[in-house]
Amino acid sequence: MRKLANAELDRKNIDEFKEAQKTPIIVILDDIRSLHNIGSVFRTSDAFLIEKIYLCGITAIPPNKEIHKTALGATETVAWEYAKDVLEVVHQLKQETVKVYSVEQTENAIILDDFQPEINSKYALIFGNEVKGVSQEAINLSDGVIEIPQLGSKHSLNISVSAGIVIWDLFQKMK
């Protein structure tokens, strides 16, 4: 098996990406401290044609050379918007009939394996701070909570890993 060259991968240019039909998923990053995590989520969102990213609270915004290191240009393709208050974003999206889910560990969380997105629905996924997670206030406003099953001794995953797992899972289920 021969490794493919980048030119053989049939990648979309920026204009083609912007015109492409998007996966009906919105990512909300709330108070993310790591610029590398932010860039990684942009790159994952580009890979799966995510509709938009909201950068909230202390989450840094492009252009930023540290975000760019991991995003590798995805800040130019994926639509994004800064909003100071995550709760205002959640209220706005719910008014637009977007189903909002926090990715967190809570009572009565739906294990990711068991989560089944509804056909013809749009979803927003809230990922919270690397230390504190998703705020209780945002959880309270959410339509539900999705939990990634973890079997080891640790009870958390890096935010960019969590985003990759959940986005991939929903992308697969929505196809």
Side-chain angles (χ1 to χ4, degrees), residues 17 22-23 25-29 38-54 74 77-79 127 163-164 167 171:
F17 184 96
K22 302 297 184 290
T23 305
I25 296 173
I26 295 167
V27 172
I28 302 170
L29 299 181
I38 298 164
S40 181
V41 172
F42 264 97
R43 197 156 145 198
T44 298
S45 297
D46 176 278
F48 298 109
L49 286 170
I50 298 307
E51 189 172 302
K52 187 172 188 174
I53 298 174
Y54 281 94
T77 55
V78 180
F127 296 92
I167 291 169
F171 174 81

Side-chain angles (χ1 to χ4, degrees), residues 1 8 24 27 66 70 82 85 87 90 101 105 114 117 121 128 138 147 165:
M1 286 184 244
E8 297 175 273
V27 172
E66 293 300 314
T70 47
Y82 175 78
D85 186 359
L87 303 179
V90 172
Y101 280 80
Q105 298 164 330
D114 298 329
S121 290
E147 180 177 341
I165 290 168

Side-chain angles (χ1 to χ4, degrees), residues 10-172:
D10 192 32
R11 305 211 178 201
K12 292 175 177 20
N13 64 37
I14 293 173
D15 292 332
E16 290 168 336
F17 184 96
K18 290 182 185 279
E19 294 298 319
Q21 182 176 348
K22 302 297 184 290
T23 305
I25 296 173
I26 295 167
V27 172
I28 302 170
L29 299 181
D30 187 31
D31 286 339
I32 305 302
R33 297 176 309 164
S34 166
L35 301 172
H36 296 279
N37 281 337
I38 298 164
S40 181
V41 172
F42 264 97
R43 197 156 145 198
T44 298
S45 297
D46 176 278
F48 298 109
L49 286 170
I50 298 307
E51 189 172 302
K52 187 172 188 174
I53 298 174
Y54 281 94
L55 306 168
C56 301
I58 66 166
T59 308
I61 62 171
N64 181 296
K65 76 176 189 175
E66 293 300 314
I67 292 173
H68 182 73
K69 279 184 185 178
T70 47
L72 295 178
T75 57
E76 303 300 317
T77 55
V78 180
W80 64 271
E81 181 178 332
Y82 175 78
K84 183 175 182 171
D85 186 359
V86 69
L87 303 179
E88 289 179 12
V89 171
V90 172
H91 281 298
Q92 172 193 328
L93 292 173
K94 289 182 79 164
Q95 286 180 346
E96 297 169 10
T97 68
V98 175
K99 297 181 184 311
V100 179
Y101 280 80
S102 292
V103 179
E104 189 55 88
Q105 298 164 330
T106 67
E107 298 173 335
N108 303 315
I110 302 166
I111 298 299
L112 181 59
D113 301 2
D114 298 329
F115 182 78
Q116 289 301 321
E118 295 175 15
I119 296 171
N120 298 321
S121 290
K122 187 182 295 188
Y123 288 85
L125 303 169
I126 306 173
F127 296 92
N129 178 273
E130 291 91 339
V131 175
K132 297 178 182 178
V134 178
S135 72
Q136 187 64 55
E137 294 85 359
I139 290 169
N140 292 345
L141 286 178
S142 297
D143 294 304
V145 177
I146 298 171
E147 180 177 341
I148 301 168
Q150 298 172 56
L151 306 176
S153 63
K154 303 300 173 200
H155 298 285
S156 67
L157 294 166
N158 180 284
I159 174 64
S160 63
V161 172
S162 294
I165 290 168
V166 176
I167 291 169
W168 166 251
D169 186 80
L170 266 64
F171 174 81
Q172 284 292 93

